[in-house]
Structures are given as structure tokens and as C-alpha cells.
Amino acid sequence: MDQLVPPPVEAPKAWTVTPADELLIAAKSRANRLSFALLLLFFRAHGRFPRTQDEIEPAIVADVARHLDIGLTSAQTLAGSGRTVERHRADIRTLCGFREASVADGETLTEWLRDHAVAETRDTALLASALEQRCRDLAIEPPAPERIVRIVRTALHAYDERFCDDMHRRLPAATRARLDALLRPAAGEQPGAANDAPDDPGPAVLMHLQADPGGPSVNSLQTELAKLVLVRQLGLPADLFGPTRSHEVERYNQRVVVEAPYELRRHAEPLRLTALAAFAHLRGRSLTDGLVDLLIETIHRIAAHAERKVERELLDDLKRVTGKQNILFALADASLAQPDGVVREVVFPVAGEQTLRDLVKEWKATGPTYRTTLRTVIRNSYSGHYRRMVPKVLQALEFRSNNDGHRPVIRALELLRRYADSKLRVFPAEEDVPLDGVVSGLWRDAVIEPDAQGRQRINRITYEICVLQALREQLRCKEIWVVGANRYRNPDEDLPADFEAERAAYDAALKLPVEADRFIEGLKEEMRTELATLDAGLPSNAEVRLGERRGKSWITLTPLGAQPDPDNIIKMKAELQAKWSMTGLLDMVKESDLRLGMTEAFKSPTVYERLERSVLRPRLLLCLHGLGTNAGLQRLASLGLEVSTKDLAYVRHRYLSVPALREAIATVANGTLAARDPAIWGDGTNACASDSKHFGAWDQNLTTQWHVRYGGRGVMIYWHVERKSLCIHSQLKSPSSSEVASMIEGVLHHCTEMEVDRQYVDSHGQSTVGFAFCRLLGFQLLPRLKAIGSQKLYRPDTGQPDAYPHLQPVLTKPIDWELIRQQYDQMVKYATALRLGTAETEAILRRFTRNNVQHPTYQALAELGRAVKTIFLARYLHSLALRHEIHEGLNTIERWNGANDFIYFARHGEMTSNRREDHEISMLSLHLLQNCMVYVNTLMLQEVLAQPHWQGRLTETDLRALTPLLWEHVNPYGRFELDMTTRLPLK
């Protein structure tokens, strides 16, 4: 049965006994006065009577008893159920104008929940609270908790039944038949091969649709195109899920994801078809996104493969000749000395014939010959292999643009679509072929070629290559979007539709002024103050020197030295290891669950759960450990618990989802924050560090990419770790995706109680636009810049060239405040979209890259970012403490990355799957296990430091170096045994 969360107890100040209350209380016998007073005050505060005496804090009871001058022993009558208490309750109901809930009230409340609350949330605790609030509004005493649970469940069932019936009616008969056909075997499949069901006729079409795309290739494009065509042939009404909230559609989609086709066939027709329609609706959008990703990566692959091929072919010819300047002087001297001489007699003896031949080869390899050869290889590769994909892609995807400046690419796509079935080598002379904005300078002379009559014609194949390359660049910055996509949808849909109407509320949420002038003046004054402070302190700042290097301005900054662990920290670690030596990692995960109940987050998306929680709980822990250590489920199957690999695979498929794992991570993170002793860990920190780590992974998917720096294929996981080594957010990303977007995403949308106001990053996690958005979103971006020497400081004011005399070597042009003023509203609008999460953070930031440098909002964000970055640099150069703070914060994330290797040890730390969901589940399981280790270590350290010989022993330096991210005493290896009846020896 679902457990209802009791409402928070009111603070004592809200429990005020009025003079009128004193008269009512005085009319009761002295033994019953305190009980009556507490019942009255609780009912007035909550609209119901307390269900247990524990719902009222002892401090409140003592305060009321003191006010009434009554002994506390009479409070025991509060828990009774005798006639006196019932009479008191009846009197209080009459006094407050309430009545008890009847059977008819239960039916009315069920209908109200169904119509007004279930669509907002399906959380039973929140629905119960909404029901109680509705009872207060109607002056009805809420029913008993058991009856509330029944009403809530009935309302949920009634809502689902009505929703499915409505969807079923809106589906055409032909669409219903096609949806049911998804559960039948695909043509040519053999029966009895899927889903572990004895009566299953074979792999269903649905399973083919659920498969992830492979790596970028023509075959993958063709496979995904066939899937998209199949989904579109279902004929779903365009507005089928129009008014439905996205989480409701996703809930029905999850039913299809976790249930096998033979299970779906057993459902009633309305539920079955609604779930299949939700799956098809979302799958069509994801397939469209996947096709665009495949198209982008395939276009990139054409050029990348051609470059590598040409480089290999020209490598033998590329023999660099040393001393070319001396050879030139010798040739000039010999030629001038004998201007009428023969080359072989005058020149060859000076430079050598072979040397001159090598010079010619080098020029050919590095000059125009290289570009010509590269174009030829790209053209041959495209025409011989990749070109067959173009007509199908153009037929399946509809490209649009909201910017007239990119209309040439749209017109070019329409031209390619019209001539898709033609075998013409060049476009007809009368055809209007857009060139500007489509064909780059490198390709222009190859696209335009003369015919026999000397007229200029457009080579069709070469032009197609140019169109695809231009399309790729515009898709990446979302200046061209795709109808029916999600991530590549109309960028206007990424912004809040009610921004103008709710502007005041949105500005207040961001803590920004409505007027642009106020924002600019505050920023200007901050720039002046920080630059003046740096200028005044620079002569005495021995760590910072401004000057020139190789003719350019340069900042020289003395690097920070490494600091050893304090002796007390070393002794404390030794004591910790001696007391809890070789503690099993699985035991730490189990202890975290027994204390915090994190496995309660894992629920089946189906209506009923077959497994009892006592059976499910250990299986969940084994699954989490197997996935989080990369050991796999087979090695976690325990004979002692009679759990097979098949049992664990069922739990993994049915219960482990990305939202559930994030909820469990939040439970452990919030539990760690609550368990910390402020005397040891401080009063709390709002500072966080973020960085990415490379994990090897199979590469037949769209997330895995080859990474030059790490020398292998893999994915990146971007971590957000607060100052005391607790990870609050993690993201799976491809190596080429933006780390700035990942940084902002983690700060805004982590699921813990922490409020981040300072974010430490390395050079990859910052950018000029990143500085601008961080300022608009209300937190400080504090990077450790690798290229600190080449940084520039911008001027806040024009017409003051002599201001800040000590900073002159690194000062550059003034900020264009007028551009910021003009685009202020748009910048706030985009910041609001990031805060609300109306679209993926990377999808929004993709518009503001160098590929879209002409965008006016991008230009304004760049100016704002330069101003904010100047403020940061001035503080960074002036304050040694700030540099230490950033360095310590980033050391925390480096230590977290080191612990990744310790926990995720199996299979060489490589993700052995090609499914993105498997990668994400593994990442989140690792995140959860590592946070569990931090939580248990926090309790262990506090127990060690609570001993008398540690009291007052730790210095400020010790406390700053103290971290719960320790694993010298942890054992993740060996036999995996799980005994739910044993506990770690912790207080």
C-alpha cells in the first residue's frame, strides 16, 4: 500500500491560543483541557485531526501546556479513542463548520481528483495532499488514510480508463488495425524466437522499431528511413496528443518499452492502442532526430575519410626540404652571376636536381594540388556510394528556416528534390541555381564549369555536395530546422510562449531588472570597480606580471604549488581503515538503502507490480551493483538468494529507468546533505565543480565517437561535484558536444536540494557565451583558464584610453553596451528558456556558435560575456584566495574521476553496448554507487571524529582537506553476497 506523507507540522508560533479558545478550553475538565486544545489547534491548522501523537512536536505540546498551565501527563489522552475524544472531535467540527466525509463525498472527491489533479501528477502523496486541501475547501473532515489511498487509486484508474477510451475513439479504424499489426511478427521472421514466451509467435514489428540506430553510414540511414516510413504509415492524427502533457504520453510509452509484445496483446484494446499510439508518436520524433544526426555525421564522415585518404596518398610526396631560404639565396646568386647560362650547368650544381624536385613535390602536396585532389576524392566517394541516400532523405524530411538569410539553402534543397530522379549531369541553363550562401569559395570553381559553347553550367553532383555541407552547418546551429523533430524542431518552440505576458515573473525568478539600463549600469560599475582594484594592487602583486611575448600582450601568472595532506588527515584515514577494513561496496549500497530507502524510487510503469518489495529490494541492489561496477548481471546472480541472471535481467528491464535512477540519486544526495555534521563539514556550500571523463564504448551508435586526446572510441560523462565530493548531477554526452551546455544543464536541472551559486570548470567548460548566460541565470562561472597568458581585458567606457595605467598592455576595445541594450529582452528570454527547460540546453545554445556569428542575439551575448569575463579575470588575477578556491574545487572533480576507475573496474571500464539507454543506465548506476560510498564514508568519518581524542584536534587546514571520497578501506571485488539481515557497525 502506498504510504502517505504527513504534512509538515506547523511551527509553534502558528499554534496560538486565542482568548476565545481559552473560554472553550476552560469549559472542559482539567484532565481533558490539553487534549482538547491540541485537537482544536491541529484541526485549525490542518483541517483534520492528528492520526498519531507523533504528528505534534513535543515543543508545541510543551508550549501549549505552559500557556494553559497544565501538566504534560494529560496529553496522553490525545492518542485515545474513547467517547470523550469523539465528543471533543464532534465539538471541534461543529465549531469550525466541518462535517465528516460520507460515501457520496468519496465519490465526489474521486471525480474531482480525476478531473483536476491526476493530469498534473501521479504521485500518490501529492494527490492525497490535494484531496485533503479539497476537503478543507469544502469544510469536510478528510477520510481515514486507508480510504484516502483507495480514493486516490480509484481516481487514477478512472482517469486512465477515460483517457484510453477517448484516445481509442479518436483513432481511425485503419490506424487501430495498423497499431495492432505492430505486435505481430515481421514478414519472414521465424516463430518462437522472442520475449521468452512459450506462446509467442516470433519477433514483432514493434521490436524492430525499438532498435537504436547504428553508426553513421548509408545502411543506417536507410534502416532508420524505413522505420520512419513505417511509423508515418500508421496514420496517427496530428493532434492526437495535442493537449496531453508530455509526462502522460511518456508514461504510456514506457508501458510499451518494458512489456513484451505478448504482454501488450493481453491488455484491453483501449489501453493497448493508447500505449502503442504514444510509443509511435514519440518514436516518430526520435527517429526524425536520429535521421538528422545520421545525416550530419555522414556528411562529416565523407569529408573526414577523404582528408585521411588524400593525406595518406600525399604523405610519400610530402618531403619537407630544409634550408629553403639558403637554397633561394644560392639560386639567386648563381642566376645573377651567369644570367645567360644553362640551368643544368648553373643551377643544378648549386642546389642539386633532387633537392629541386623535392621542393616541387612539397609545393604540390601543400598547395592547390592538395585541395584539388581532396575535392576529387570527396566527389568520387559521394557519387559512388553516399549519393543514393540523398533522394530518400529529401523525400522523408522537410527542412524549413525562419531566417530569410538562409533561404538559399532551402531553395537549393527544393532544387535537389525536383531533380532527384533526373540523370542530368548539369542543371539546365534556364534553372535558377542559388550559389551565394550555398557554395563555399573552396568549391566554387569546381561547381561552375564551362560547356562546349563556353557557357557556365552548374555541375549537379558537385553542387549536391556543397548543398549538403551547407545544410549540415545550418542544422547544427538550428538556423534550419526539421518538421516533426524534437531536438531539431522549430527554434521558436524552444522559447516560453507566455514570455511577454509573464515577463515580470520571469525577471523576478532570474533576479534581473526589467529595464536594460539598470542591468547595464550595474555591470558597468562592477567592471570599473574590479579593474580599478586590480590596477591599484598590481604593483604589489608578485604573482602577476603584464607584458609582451613574441610581440603580443601577455599575462604571466605564477602557478600554484601542490600541498601535502595534513598529518591529522593521514592519521584519521588510518584509523578509518583499521576500524572498517575491506568493507564491501555492496554492503555500503545496502546500508544506504536501509537508511534512506532509495530503492523506493524504482517502480514498474505497469499498473501492478508482481514482485513483493522484500523480494525486489535485494534484486535491485544486485542489479545496481552489477551495472555500476560494469561486472554485469551474470556475475551478480547469487545462489544463496536463489536469484538467477534471468531474474536480474527482468528487474533491470522492468524497473531500472533513467528518471527512477535520478530520483534514487537525489534521495542519497539529499540524505548525505542532511546527515552532515556542520561542525565537521561546515554550514553548507553552494559551490560546485564540473568536468567530463572519457569512457570507452562500442561505436555502432550515434553517441560514441573517436577522441583524439584519449586515442580511442568512447563517450564522455560530465559530472557536477560539490566541494565535499558529493555528485549532484551526471550527463552522458558525445565527445564533440558542448561542455558549456552540459555545465549549465547540471547547475539548473540537478535534482538535489543544493542551490549552486559558484561553478568551477576547466577551460573546456567555459566560453564567452557561457559567461553571459551564467550571469543572466544568477551564478558565477569560475574557470581555471589554461590559456591565461593570452587573455584580454575589455574597457567599460569609451573615451578613456589612459584609465587603469598598469593594465594598458592587456586592455583592448570597449564593450558595445548599445548592442546589449537592444538585445536585452531576447537574452532574458533565452535565459528563461534555459531555466524552465522548455528545450534541451544544448539545443538552445547550439544557436549561439561561431557558425551563426551574424545572429544579433549571439553578438549581444558575446559582448555581455566579454564584460562578465573581464570582471572575473580582474578578480582572478587580483585574488590569490580565489585562485586557490578554484584549484581546490577542480581537484575535487579530479578525485571523483579517479574513484570512477576504482568502482567501474570490470571489462577495462568499457561500456559493452551500442544502446544509448544502456550507457545512461550504467552511468547513473555508477553515480548512485559512488554517492552511496560517499554517504557511508560521511557517517564513518563522523563516528571516528566523535571520539574524545579527536575533539578540537582538527585545524582549519585539516577541515579544508577533509573529504568523504575515500576508498582505501572499500572492497568492490570478490564474491558478491548480499545478506539483508546484517548491517554495518555504524551508530
Side-chain angles (χ1 to χ4, degrees), residues 101 104 147 188 292-293 380 433 463 468 494 526-527 554 603 619 644 663 707 816 834 886 925 957:
R147 190 179 175 198
V292 177
D293 286 331
N380 293 340
V433 181
Y463 184 74
L468 291 178
D494 296 343
E526 196 171 351
M527 282 187 71
W554 196 260
K603 296 181 175 63
R619 295 185 183 183
S644 66
E663 184 179 344
H707 201 292
D816 187 351
L834 290 173
I886 295 172
S925 299
T957 303

Side-chain angles (χ1 to χ4, degrees), residues 112-124:
W112 182 86
L113 282 176
R114 180 197 64 189
D115 297 338
H116 298 91
V118 174
E120 299 292 337
T121 179
R122 303 187 71 86
D123 187 282
T124 54

Side-chain angles (χ1 to χ4, degrees), residues 59-108:
I60 294 177
V61 177
D63 185 66
V64 174
R66 192 182 311 110
H67 182 83
L68 298 177
D69 193 21
I70 299 175
L72 291 179
T73 54
S74 59
Q76 296 174 356
T77 58
L78 183 63
S81 58
R83 288 178 296 176
T84 301
V85 175
E86 291 301 322
R87 188 170 61 252
H88 288 174
R89 293 187 174 192
D91 292 342
I92 293 172
R93 287 191 208 101
T94 303
L95 176 65
C96 297
F98 276 62
R99 61 178 175 82
E100 292 186 273
S102 63
V103 175
D105 290 330
E107 295 176 357
T108 303

Side-chain angles (χ1 to χ4, degrees), residues 800-813:
Q800 298 183 10
D802 298 330
Y804 321 111
H806 298 106
L807 307 180
Q808 290 298 318
V810 294
L811 281 174
T812 183
K813 63 180 182 179

Side-chain angles (χ1 to χ4, degrees), residues 473-479 491 494-495 738 740-741 744 767-770 772-773 776 823 826-834 840-862:
E473 295 303 319
Q474 300 309 320
L475 282 171
R476 293 179 67 193
C477 63
K478 295 196 73 171
E479 285 299 332
D494 296 343
L495 303 176
S738 168
V740 177
I744 295 176
S767 68
T768 305
V769 171
F773 273 120
L776 294 170
Q823 293 294 319
Q826 281 297 310
M827 291 191 294
V828 174
K829 193 172 186 178
Y830 279 104
T832 300
L834 290 173
E840 293 183 7
T841 304
E842 186 166 2
I844 295 176
L845 263 64
R846 193 180 288 133
R847 299 202 71 185
F848 307 116
T849 63
R850 293 180 181 177
N851 293 329
N852 204 14
V853 71
Q854 299 301 321
H855 197 294
T857 307
Y858 170 73
Q859 294 175 353
L861 286 167

Side-chain angles (χ1 to χ4, degrees), residues 147-199:
R147 190 179 175 198
I148 288 178
V149 171
R150 289 197 298 272
I151 291 174
V152 168
R153 286 188 168 181
T154 303
L156 289 169
H157 178 72
Y159 177 87
D160 288 337
E161 194 173 55
R162 185 179 67 177
F163 182 83
C164 292
D165 288 341
D166 181 51
M167 292 295 109
H168 185 262
R169 284 193 301 270
R170 297 174 63 186
L171 288 171
T175 301
R176 297 178 196 173
R178 296 187 190 108
L179 287 171
D180 267 332
L182 295 178
L183 302 178
R184 293 196 288 269
E189 295 289 352
Q190 297 297 321
N195 309 326
D196 298 320
D199 59 341

Side-chain angles (χ1 to χ4, degrees), residues 762-763 766 771 783-788 791 869 872-873 876:
D762 61 9
S763 296
Q766 60 82 37
F771 271 102
R784 179 176 60 190
L785 296 172
K786 183 177 181 180
I788 186 66
Q791 299 300 318
K869 189 174 183 178
F872 161 74
L873 286 171
Y876 184 80

